[in-house]
Amino acid sequence: MTSTPDKEHNFHVAKNLIQQAKDCHAKMVFLPECFDYVGESRAQTLSQAESLDGELMSRYGQLARDCDLWLSLGGFHEKANDGTDRIYNTHVVLDSSGNIRSTYRKIHLFDVDIAGGVRLKETDSTVPGFAITSPVSTPAGKVGLGICYDLRFPQLSLCLTQQGAQVLTYPSAFTVPTGQAHWQVLLRSRAIENQCYVIAAAQVGRHHAKRSSFGHSMVVDPWGKVIAKCQDKVDICIAELNFDLMKTIRAEMPVNSHQRPDLYGRLQALSPGTEEIESKAEYTFGQHSVKSSHVFYKTPLSIAFVNKKPVLPGHVLLAPIRRAERFSDLSPSEVSDLFQAVHKVSSVIEGQFGGTALTVAIQDGADAGQTVTHCHVHILPRKKGDFEDNDDVYDKLEKHDKEVMTSKWRTDEEMSKEATLIRKNFTS
Ligand code: AMP
């Protein structure tokens, strides 16, 4: 697109492009940053901003319904509604019923001053977002949302792919000099290092007297090949995504599992959604298995799940996903991941079950009372007086799962119900 300051004009251009895409049987359409408008001044930019329940978003909702396709609306000028006149730069995903499925507010703002070149200060009008949005499931796969300048931060792309993104999107309005120097290299790099698709709809040409954009909208495949691109004008390009190709590339060159977080640290994992946890029907737990519906939290290397026979209400377990019997069998990255998870889960569990303290324990080896041959951490919320003698908890831990005659294992249904309740405290 070549958005101008005129919102009405831009809407009609976008509508026309969306209808063209529909005629080509597209399932989802990606518009660039500033699809709504490009203001000529700070005052004009602020005065035209709307909230997410405003008129423009409802017109796009109607368009999505009429065309029966999903829309990625990159870089909407969203009124902050915080008592100031400032705005967020918001990426909105609408489903084919016109409902907002996901929003992401740009976290890296473009404040740049290159001598003799580009000068732009996005923070003059815009406030940064405060969260990364977990990838959203769409008819074009699991889409991780970014916006324009975010493209320069591989950390964001890694967080999103660790969360299962198959597609990264960067709706953009790159300036001409930075676009000439970096646009395609950056897009291909993000695709290659994350082994995922990258979709980048871009503004092109002259918006008004003071601003022009580089253009070159494109789609890059997980091997880094540009599989579709627009010419230097207002246009659409169409790509078909092949997730089998992505799987093959990831299997043949498993860069994700070759990472060395023990040496350079791991990026903060986002809390996975239910879908991510349930991507596997069950997880190995030594000689047993754990149903995914009993898991309430998952990190790249560990799971946390409810206990089949809790010693106290809220007694949960954490284990590495890979089967490893003893604590010493874990790799440094598994230890670090497991204990980051223990740290997070323990505070949630203490709060949720009204504890005032915690017992965190590992029975490491048969002689220490381990019955399940898969390293695991017990977390039990504790309260004053919950055992006659405080250290009785260890006796109970040793015996509780052997006393099946006196008290029964819990049912799948009871366990799933509890996991669902606990999971609610982990959604990002
Ligand atoms: P340990 O005696 O330290 O090996 O602890 C084993 C723990 O796993 C006990 O608290 C059991 O109640 C629990 N447990 C055994 N099988 C399962 C299972 N399939 N799902 C959840 N918890 C289990």
Side-chain angles (χ1 to χ4, degrees), residues 174-210:
F174 251 57
T175 67
V176 175
T178 58
Q180 278 168 344
H182 302 146
W183 172 247
Q184 187 171 147
V185 181
L186 286 169
L187 292 170
R188 293 188 60 211
S189 302
R190 295 297 82 85
I192 294 165
E193 68 205 5
N194 290 287
Q195 301 180 312
C196 67
Y197 282 94
V198 169
I199 300 179
Q203 290 284 346
V204 59
R206 202 169 170 80
H207 308 292
H208 51 69
K210 290 182 272 181

Side-chain angles (χ1 to χ4, degrees), residues 312-316 348-356 381 383 418 422:
L312 288 170
H315 173 191
V316 298
V348 169
I349 288 295
E350 183 176 330
Q352 187 163 355
F353 288 86
T356 50
K383 284 181 204 155
E418 185 178 61
I422 302 176

